[in-house]
Amino acid sequence: MPTPSMEDYLERIYKLIDEKGYARVSDIAEGLEVHPSSVTKMIQKLDKDEYLIYEKYRGLVLTPKGKKMGKRLMERHHLLEQFLTTIGVQEENIYQDVEGIEHHLSWDSITCIESLVEYFRQDENRLRDLKSIQEVISNTES
């Protein structure tokens, strides 16, 4: 099982490859706001753990295991963004909040959140009811 740091790298690499068709050390470093030397060390570790194949000066490709994990991590991130949006978290807080919680939830919790998001998507009245409850709570706190 990858560490939270490994997950961040796999998610970023997967996203870059999905968007650009490739992932360079410099792009990964820029996206994660780390030094290129840190990226190289982590890429070597991900290569050793068979998430990707890395050839110095040639680049990297995700293995099937790496693609599967990268896709799963991207989906988790997107789901948590949807969840926070659904429950009314202010847009400017969503990215930071997702980054703060995504590595601390079990896959069981992620599945339950996915069910909850789907529950609200199936019927707009449910979402309206949630917003009404939030307004009542907010007004009683004031």
Side-chain angles (χ1 to χ4, degrees):
M1 204 65 189
T3 65
S5 181
M6 291 168 78
E7 286 183 349
D8 284 340
Y9 278 85
L10 282 169
E11 183 179 351
R12 185 70 189 147
I13 292 166
Y14 182 87
K15 186 175 182 179
L16 283 167
I17 291 172
D18 188 50
E19 291 173 353
K20 296 172 121 181
Y22 60 90
R24 295 184 315 208
V25 168
S26 59
D27 295 328
I28 299 165
E30 181 181 327
L32 295 175
E33 298 178 353
V34 296
H35 288 81
S37 60
S38 298
V39 174
T40 301
K41 286 178 190 173
M42 181 58 79
I43 286 173
Q44 290 168 344
K45 187 173 191 174
L46 291 169
D47 184 11
K48 182 177 174 265
D49 290 348
E50 300 179 351
Y51 288 102
L52 56 80
I53 298 168
Y54 174 64
E55 292 183 31
K56 197 172 184 177
Y57 306 116
R58 291 185 154 262
L60 59 94
V61 292
L62 290 170
T63 62
K65 175 182 173 180
K67 285 180 188 175
K68 181 178 178 182
M69 182 58 72
K71 182 177 183 191
R72 188 174 187 199
L73 296 169
M74 285 285 298
E75 289 170 348
R76 175 184 72 184
H77 190 99
H78 182 67
L79 172 67
L80 291 173
E81 286 178 344
Q82 287 179 304
F83 173 66
L84 294 179
T85 300
T86 299
I87 63 171
V89 173
Q90 293 178 8
E91 189 174 333
E92 63 267 14
N93 296 327
I94 290 176
Y95 180 80
Q96 195 67 27
D97 287 353
V98 169
E99 289 298 312
I101 65 173
E102 67 184 338
H103 301 297
H104 301 285
L105 295 172
S106 67
W107 288 104
D108 181 48
S109 293
I110 296 296
T111 300
C112 292
I113 289 170
E114 185 174 29
S115 298
L116 186 60
V117 168
E118 186 57 34
Y119 172 80
F120 283 112
R121 286 173 120 185
Q122 287 178 358
D123 185 346
E124 289 184 25
N125 293 324
R126 294 172 182 160
L127 193 53
R128 193 173 58 245
D129 291 346
L130 175 64
K131 304 272 186 227
S132 296
I133 292 167
Q134 289 173 326
E135 286 178 27
V136 170
I137 291 170
S138 178
N139 290 336
T140 58
E141 291 176 350
S142 299

